[in-house]
Amino acid sequence: MNHKTLESLTITTVSSSSYECTITVDCAVFGFQDNELRLLLVKRAIDPFKDQWMLPGGIMDEGHTLEESVNNVLFNLTGIHDVHQEQVKAYSSVDRHPVKRVLTVCFYALIKPENHPVIAKNYVSDVQWYSLSKLPKLGFDHDQLAVDALHKLRGSLDQNLIFGELLPDKFTLKELQDLYESILDETLDRRNFRKKILQSGLVIPTNEKKIGVKGGPELYRIKK
């Protein structure tokens, strides 16, 4: 079943004479805080995997698209709402859920934690931001979902600058490099990074300086 087919489905469960398959959505929500990329996790309050951490996720609502369902799930479990998300991939292993057949489509979203206070709701007992270097073992197959979502995010850096809310509207090249290094988990050469970014045409100068910072570095914004 390809993504196009999945996106056209508006029912929660697909059934046939031999089996039923529930369709769910999961979302890896990344935030940039204290110069570090973090992942939002929820602690499940019900079985299976009770008291284990995982990505926010839930059943696709009847009559809703996958994208609408992601926003509904995030709001219903964490209070986050109206965030842009990108699709990662679909997962259909027959044993990915211990109770029933479940096909899930994973997304990722990029937000500023300070702009989205979170609260545990419904079948979630806790919500926390975790450093990528200190992630706990996740329930279901969410370890793989989280890895794939980060890989998708890293891959997008070579093509565009879809950073959601991770950056302010106007930023310095150092702030942009700090974000790149956090996502890629590696140190980049300052001169080569600036050259590559400026030659890409993806950012443009604002002709403004950052106030309150030594040297008054120039501010840039992402080209629309």
Side-chain angles (χ1 to χ4, degrees), residues 76-88:
N76 291 335
L77 298 186
T78 70
I80 294 175
H81 60 91
D82 296 329
V83 297
H84 175 77
Q85 71 278 141
E86 296 283 332
Q87 190 173 131
V88 180

Side-chain angles (χ1 to χ4, degrees), residues 129-187:
W129 287 100
Y130 272 87
S131 166
L132 294 184
S133 62
K134 299 177 181 179
L135 292 180
K137 172 69 177 175
L138 305 184
F140 297 105
D141 55 354
H142 287 199
D143 287 311
Q144 187 62 54
L145 270 61
V147 168
D148 291 346
L150 180 59
H151 181 74
K152 183 83 169 183
L153 172 58
R154 286 172 173 170
S156 74
L157 297 184
D158 293 330
Q159 304 168 13
N160 48 53
L161 291 179
I162 300 177
F163 286 140
E165 300 178 17
L166 297 187
L167 283 170
D169 292 334
K170 300 175 184 178
F171 50 86
T172 66
L173 291 182
K174 183 183 184 306
E175 290 171 331
L176 181 60
Q177 182 171 342
D178 287 343
L179 179 57
Y180 259 77
E181 290 180 340
S182 179
I183 293 174
L184 296 174
D185 192 26
E186 63 180 83
T187 300

Side-chain angles (χ1 to χ4, degrees), residues 48-108:
F49 295 103
K50 182 179 179 180
D51 294 330
Q52 283 195 243
W53 293 98
M54 58 192 61
L55 303 179
I59 295 175
M60 183 175 73
D61 299 318
E62 184 174 353
H64 288 176
T65 65
L66 290 169
E67 290 75 15
E68 290 168 341
S69 296
V70 171
N71 277 316
N72 290 341
V73 163
L74 288 177
F75 178 73
N76 291 335
L77 298 186
T78 70
I80 294 175
H81 60 91
D82 296 329
V83 297
H84 175 77
Q85 71 278 141
E86 296 283 332
Q87 190 173 131
V88 180
K89 62 182 291 187
Y91 298 80
S92 60
S93 297
V94 296
D95 59 350
R96 63 175 306 274
H97 194 288
V99 178
K100 57 185 177 179
R101 181 73 192 275
V102 177
L103 182 154
T104 196
V105 181
C106 182
F107 292 78
Y108 75 80

Side-chain angles (χ1 to χ4, degrees), residues 28-48:
V29 183
F30 294 104
F32 192 57
Q33 192 175 49
D34 298 327
N35 259 14
E36 185 177 44
L37 191 67
R38 303 188 180 212
L39 181 64
L40 186 70
L41 300 178
V42 298
K43 181 180 282 188
R44 189 174 169 92
I46 59 175
D47 288 323

